[in-house]
Amino acid sequence: MRIVLVGPPGAGKGTQAAYLAKNLAIPHISTGDLFRANISQGTPLGQKAQEYMRAGQLVPDEVTIGMAKDRMAQPDAAHGFLLDGFPRNLAQAEALDGVLKGDGLKLDAVLDLEVPEDEVVKRIAGRRICRNESSHVFHAIYNPPKTEGVCDACGGELYQREDDSEETVRKRLEVYHSETEPIIDYYKAQGLVVTISALGKVAEVTQRAMAALDRD
């Protein structure tokens, strides 16, 4: 199967992508992994991406698209893949369609993980990270430490990352609504979208997703 995974920040895309890819025996291709691999390997696309990143600029769509195209052409993706974080906007979605069509392929499904906005804010803004190298992660509501502000594992100080503040999370949601959400309508027009609730335990969401993809 060739699947695109979409959903707002905090929907658990990375976690679900890993489980779904394993269950479906297809590679999980995430934007973050693409960037890290290309930069660490010093590929021409990785070098271009690094230039933009060092200058504090957004990496152009064509660079991201090029990385995704190269990754999808690798042998382990011959029978399918799960894309996580790509496409991120309409231009990338249209480019992906073009790449697949050029190879005589098409997407099988777009899995949309649905989470209420207030739940997204609660999930992300509640995260607390240990300052020590262990980097243990707790949550003020779902996995609180025994002593507030103190890591259960090593006694280190727990803190909230700047990226996890409610203000930042709401800004990230605004970007998602304006840039990424439109691809859902784009794929709905192609009859590809399968929407499921991403609320509940990880295993429950995975089971829900597998059942939805099977029906599709």
Side-chain angles (χ1 to χ4, degrees), residues 43-184:
T43 68
L45 288 170
Q47 291 173 15
K48 280 186 181 179
Q50 199 163 37
E51 287 174 10
Y52 284 101
M53 292 163 71
R54 282 174 175 167
Q57 300 174 354
L58 291 174
V59 177
D61 283 345
E62 58 264 27
V63 175
T64 306
I65 293 162
M67 290 181 182
K69 182 179 179 180
D70 288 348
R71 180 65 185 87
M72 289 185 292
Q74 292 181 19
D76 67 335
H79 300 293
F81 49 74
L82 192 153
L83 294 172
D84 166 22
F86 176 86
R88 193 175 293 274
N89 55 46
L90 276 175
Q92 292 183 1
E94 291 168 350
L96 174 61
D97 277 356
V99 169
L100 293 175
K101 187 176 180 180
D103 292 331
L105 304 171
K106 62 183 181 65
L107 291 174
D108 294 298
V110 174
L111 182 63
D112 174 27
L113 300 183
E114 195 172 62
V115 185
E117 193 161 302
D118 286 346
E119 175 64 19
V120 167
V121 174
K122 190 187 299 183
R123 286 183 180 186
I124 299 178
R127 284 196 298 227
R128 299 294 184 268
I129 316 294
C130 179
R131 287 194 186 277
N132 289 345
E133 290 183 10
S134 59
S135 296
H136 291 104
V137 181
F138 293 83
H139 194 282
I141 299 171
Y142 302 121
N143 181 33
K146 294 176 182 176
T147 302
E148 186 175 352
V150 179
C151 176
D152 291 352
C154 67
E157 179 192 356
L158 298 179
Y159 75 104
Q160 181 188 53
R161 296 187 313 176
E162 187 176 339
D163 285 350
D164 292 344
S165 70
E166 181 173 344
E167 181 182 1
T168 303
V169 174
R170 292 199 181 277
K171 286 180 180 176
R172 289 169 61 191
L173 282 166
E174 287 177 11
V175 172
Y176 172 76
H177 291 317
S178 63
E179 294 186 11
T180 304
E181 209 167 46
I183 73 172
I184 297 175

Side-chain angles (χ1 to χ4, degrees), residues 11 14 26 36 114 147 157 179 186 202 204 208 214:
I26 54 177
R36 282 187 289 272
E114 195 172 62
T147 302
E157 179 192 356
E179 294 186 11
Y186 172 78
V202 171
E204 293 172 347
R208 206 175 292 148
D214 186 54

